[in-house]
PDB file of all heavy atoms in Angstrom:
ATOM      1  N   LEU A  41      -6.306 -23.579 -23.862  1.00  0.00           N
ATOM      2  CA  LEU A  41      -5.010 -23.338 -24.696  1.00  0.00           C
ATOM      3  C   LEU A  41      -4.850 -24.470 -25.846  1.00  0.00           C
ATOM      4  O   LEU A  41      -4.535 -24.064 -26.945  1.00  0.00           O
ATOM      5  CB  LEU A  41      -3.922 -23.758 -23.607  1.00  0.00           C
ATOM      6  CG  LEU A  41      -2.571 -23.607 -24.312  1.00  0.00           C
ATOM      7  CD1 LEU A  41      -2.095 -22.298 -24.587  1.00  0.00           C
ATOM      8  CD2 LEU A  41      -1.414 -24.151 -23.232  1.00  0.00           C
ATOM      9  N   ILE A  42      -5.191 -25.699 -25.552  1.00  0.00           N
ATOM     10  CA  ILE A  42      -5.136 -26.643 -26.654  1.00  0.00           C
ATOM     11  C   ILE A  42      -6.080 -26.356 -27.765  1.00  0.00           C
ATOM     12  O   ILE A  42      -5.707 -26.545 -29.022  1.00  0.00           O
ATOM     13  CB  ILE A  42      -5.348 -28.093 -26.093  1.00  0.00           C
ATOM     14  CG1 ILE A  42      -4.303 -28.498 -24.971  1.00  0.00           C
ATOM     15  CG2 ILE A  42      -5.348 -29.079 -27.136  1.00  0.00           C
ATOM     16  CD1 ILE A  42      -2.884 -28.126 -25.429  1.00  0.00           C
ATOM     17  N   TRP A  49      -1.412 -19.990 -20.856  1.00  0.00           N
ATOM     18  CA  TRP A  49      -2.077 -20.605 -19.702  1.00  0.00           C
ATOM     19  C   TRP A  49      -1.123 -20.732 -18.583  1.00  0.00           C
ATOM     20  O   TRP A  49      -0.024 -21.166 -18.780  1.00  0.00           O
ATOM     21  CB  TRP A  49      -2.664 -22.043 -20.152  1.00  0.00           C
ATOM     22  CG  TRP A  49      -3.273 -22.676 -19.024  1.00  0.00           C
ATOM     23  CD1 TRP A  49      -4.095 -22.464 -18.042  1.00  0.00           C
ATOM     24  CD2 TRP A  49      -2.965 -24.220 -18.849  1.00  0.00           C
ATOM     25  NE1 TRP A  49      -4.444 -23.485 -17.223  1.00  0.00           N
ATOM     26  CE2 TRP A  49      -3.644 -24.609 -17.655  1.00  0.00           C
ATOM     27  CE3 TRP A  49      -2.105 -25.081 -19.515  1.00  0.00           C
ATOM     28  CZ2 TRP A  49      -3.673 -25.911 -17.140  1.00  0.00           C
ATOM     29  CZ3 TRP A  49      -2.084 -26.390 -19.007  1.00  0.00           C
ATOM     30  CH2 TRP A  49      -2.856 -26.818 -17.828  1.00  0.00           C
ATOM     31  N   MET A  56      -0.232 -29.423 -16.700  1.00  0.00           N
ATOM     32  CA  MET A  56       0.652 -28.908 -17.687  1.00  0.00           C
ATOM     33  C   MET A  56       1.529 -29.947 -18.273  1.00  0.00           C
ATOM     34  O   MET A  56       1.767 -29.967 -19.545  1.00  0.00           O
ATOM     35  CB  MET A  56       1.555 -27.743 -16.927  1.00  0.00           C
ATOM     36  CG  MET A  56       2.400 -27.057 -17.838  1.00  0.00           C
ATOM     37  SD  MET A  56       1.465 -26.125 -19.140  1.00  0.00           S
ATOM     38  CE  MET A  56       2.530 -26.109 -20.604  1.00  0.00           C
ATOM     39  N   HIS A  59      -0.388 -31.813 -20.846  1.00  0.00           N
ATOM     40  CA  HIS A  59      -0.614 -31.158 -22.112  1.00  0.00           C
ATOM     41  C   HIS A  59       0.663 -31.031 -22.846  1.00  0.00           C
ATOM     42  O   HIS A  59       0.730 -31.035 -24.164  1.00  0.00           O
ATOM     43  CB  HIS A  59      -1.237 -29.717 -21.919  1.00  0.00           C
ATOM     44  CG  HIS A  59      -2.646 -29.837 -21.556  1.00  0.00           C
ATOM     45  ND1 HIS A  59      -3.656 -30.239 -22.517  1.00  0.00           N
ATOM     46  CD2 HIS A  59      -3.384 -29.496 -20.495  1.00  0.00           C
ATOM     47  CE1 HIS A  59      -4.858 -30.245 -21.821  1.00  0.00           C
ATOM     48  NE2 HIS A  59      -4.814 -29.747 -20.657  1.00  0.00           N
ATOM     49  N   GLU A  60       1.756 -30.888 -22.191  1.00  0.00           N
ATOM     50  CA  GLU A  60       3.077 -30.820 -22.969  1.00  0.00           C
ATOM     51  C   GLU A  60       3.276 -32.214 -23.584  1.00  0.00           C
ATOM     52  O   GLU A  60       3.723 -32.136 -24.905  1.00  0.00           O
ATOM     53  CB  GLU A  60       4.208 -30.596 -21.977  1.00  0.00           C
ATOM     54  CG  GLU A  60       4.323 -29.173 -21.519  1.00  0.00           C
ATOM     55  CD  GLU A  60       5.401 -29.179 -20.416  1.00  0.00           C
ATOM     56  OE1 GLU A  60       6.649 -28.867 -20.836  1.00  0.00           O
ATOM     57  OE2 GLU A  60       5.210 -29.219 -19.230  1.00  0.00           O
ATOM     58  N   ILE A  61       3.016 -33.273 -22.989  1.00  0.00           N
ATOM     59  CA  ILE A  61       3.430 -34.602 -23.499  1.00  0.00           C
ATOM     60  C   ILE A  61       2.336 -34.987 -24.469  1.00  0.00           C
ATOM     61  O   ILE A  61       2.789 -35.530 -25.610  1.00  0.00           O
ATOM     62  CB  ILE A  61       3.663 -35.670 -22.325  1.00  0.00           C
ATOM     63  CG1 ILE A  61       4.903 -35.349 -21.584  1.00  0.00           C
ATOM     64  CG2 ILE A  61       3.614 -37.040 -22.947  1.00  0.00           C
ATOM     65  CD1 ILE A  61       5.094 -36.120 -20.433  1.00  0.00           C
ATOM     66  N   LYS A  62       1.112 -34.862 -24.198  1.00  0.00           N
ATOM     67  CA  LYS A  62       0.065 -35.441 -25.025  1.00  0.00           C
ATOM     68  C   LYS A  62      -0.356 -34.551 -26.065  1.00  0.00           C
ATOM     69  O   LYS A  62      -0.693 -34.945 -27.267  1.00  0.00           O
ATOM     70  CB  LYS A  62      -1.158 -35.700 -24.111  1.00  0.00           C
ATOM     71  CG  LYS A  62      -1.063 -36.764 -23.105  1.00  0.00           C
ATOM     72  CD  LYS A  62      -0.983 -37.990 -23.808  1.00  0.00           C
ATOM     73  CE  LYS A  62      -0.982 -39.094 -22.808  1.00  0.00           C
ATOM     74  NZ  LYS A  62      -0.935 -40.455 -23.309  1.00  0.00           N
ATOM     75  N   ASP A  63      -0.310 -33.116 -25.871  1.00  0.00           N
ATOM     76  CA  ASP A  63      -0.804 -32.240 -26.902  1.00  0.00           C
ATOM     77  C   ASP A  63       0.171 -31.317 -27.456  1.00  0.00           C
ATOM     78  O   ASP A  63      -0.072 -30.459 -28.293  1.00  0.00           O
ATOM     79  CB  ASP A  63      -1.886 -31.371 -26.210  1.00  0.00           C
ATOM     80  CG  ASP A  63      -3.069 -32.125 -25.679  1.00  0.00           C
ATOM     81  OD1 ASP A  63      -3.555 -33.229 -26.465  1.00  0.00           O
ATOM     82  OD2 ASP A  63      -3.384 -32.079 -24.459  1.00  0.00           O
ATOM     83  N   GLY A  64       1.359 -31.506 -27.051  1.00  0.00           N
ATOM     84  CA  GLY A  64       2.467 -30.480 -27.634  1.00  0.00           C
ATOM     85  C   GLY A  64       2.553 -29.149 -27.172  1.00  0.00           C
ATOM     86  O   GLY A  64       3.093 -28.222 -27.722  1.00  0.00           O
ATOM     87  N   ALA A  65       1.805 -28.936 -26.061  1.00  0.00           N
ATOM     88  CA  ALA A  65       1.885 -27.665 -25.394  1.00  0.00           C
ATOM     89  C   ALA A  65       3.346 -27.211 -25.000  1.00  0.00           C
ATOM     90  O   ALA A  65       4.063 -28.170 -24.692  1.00  0.00           O
ATOM     91  CB  ALA A  65       0.974 -27.463 -24.171  1.00  0.00           C
ATOM     92  N   ARG A  66       3.710 -25.912 -25.270  1.00  0.00           N
ATOM     93  CA  ARG A  66       5.077 -25.589 -24.936  1.00  0.00           C
ATOM     94  C   ARG A  66       5.255 -24.810 -23.687  1.00  0.00           C
ATOM     95  O   ARG A  66       4.513 -23.697 -23.634  1.00  0.00           O
ATOM     96  CB  ARG A  66       5.573 -24.736 -26.081  1.00  0.00           C
ATOM     97  CG  ARG A  66       7.058 -24.486 -26.098  1.00  0.00           C
ATOM     98  CD  ARG A  66       7.603 -23.831 -27.252  1.00  0.00           C
ATOM     99  NE  ARG A  66       6.966 -22.508 -27.617  1.00  0.00           N
ATOM    100  CZ  ARG A  66       7.308 -21.368 -27.209  1.00  0.00           C
ATOM    101  NH1 ARG A  66       8.434 -21.318 -26.406  1.00  0.00           N
ATOM    102  NH2 ARG A  66       6.781 -20.235 -27.592  1.00  0.00           N
ATOM    103  N   LEU A  67       5.980 -25.132 -22.673  1.00  0.00           N
ATOM    104  CA  LEU A  67       6.226 -24.446 -21.431  1.00  0.00           C
ATOM    105  C   LEU A  67       7.170 -23.481 -21.893  1.00  0.00           C
ATOM    106  O   LEU A  67       8.415 -23.703 -22.269  1.00  0.00           O
ATOM    107  CB  LEU A  67       6.813 -25.473 -20.532  1.00  0.00           C
ATOM    108  CG  LEU A  67       7.144 -24.736 -19.115  1.00  0.00           C
ATOM    109  CD1 LEU A  67       5.874 -24.211 -18.469  1.00  0.00           C
ATOM    110  CD2 LEU A  67       7.828 -25.861 -18.158  1.00  0.00           C
TER     111      LEU A  67
END
Side-chain angles (χ1 to χ4, degrees):
L41 177 70
I42 298 308
W49 167 52
M56 184 64 213
H59 284 299
E60 285 178 88
I61 290 170
K62 296 287 188 182
D63 303 312
R66 185 173 63 90
L67 179 63

